[in-house]
Amino acid sequence: MCVNFDEPDETRPFEGGMGRLDVIDTDNGPVGRAVFEPGWRWSQHVKPIAGTDSCEAAHTGYVISGRIKIVMDDGDALEAGPGDFVSVAPGHDAWVLGDTPCVVIDWVGYGTYAKPAGA
């Protein structure tokens, strides 16, 4: 199997034109490429779509470009940038750091990410 994120099975835009999630359905489950634009914040640009107080998706991913800050509901925080592997439990907010889009490939948490509640 060889697929390209430039021709995803589904694209889910974030609120305010602040990025998108491209999803490829594989035999092993969905894999996503998120493009978070500068100024993107989960609590502003995905929360209205998800309908939850914080991000309830677990993430296992790899940061291709840009930087992101992730703050857990308990206050623990981490920053990730190009080349970083991240594993994040449910219950967090996140936002882009700097003026470069943050691009992340995630093969665990994007199956229902940025889908309207109940969809």
Side-chain angles (χ1 to χ4, degrees):
M1 173 182 206
C2 181
V3 293
N4 191 301
F5 276 112
D6 292 335
E7 297 179 9
D9 293 308
E10 181 182 3
T11 296
R12 302 176 197 155
F14 302 140
E15 293 283 316
M18 294 300 289
R20 70 185 185 281
L21 173 63
D22 298 319
V23 179
I24 293 173
D25 294 317
T26 74
D27 293 342
N28 296 314
V31 178
R33 174 184 67 182
V35 178
F36 305 112
E37 296 294 338
W40 174 88
R41 187 175 184 124
W42 185 92
S43 55
Q44 295 173 2
H45 303 104
V46 180
K47 180 179 179 174
I49 300 167
T52 57
D53 289 335
S54 60
C55 180
E56 294 303 323
H59 301 287
T60 301
Y62 179 80
V63 180
I64 295 174
S65 63
R67 295 198 60 75
I68 192 165
K69 181 164 187 168
I70 301 164
V71 178
M72 303 304 296
D73 290 348
D74 68 6
D76 284 349
L78 67 91
E79 292 184 18
D84 287 337
F85 169 86
V86 294
S87 181
V88 181
H92 57 272
D93 194 2
W95 55 89
V96 171
L97 298 171
D99 58 1
T100 302
C102 183
V103 179
V104 179
I105 303 294
D106 186 325
W107 51 92
V108 172
Y110 285 163
T112 58
Y113 189 84
K115 271 193 167 182

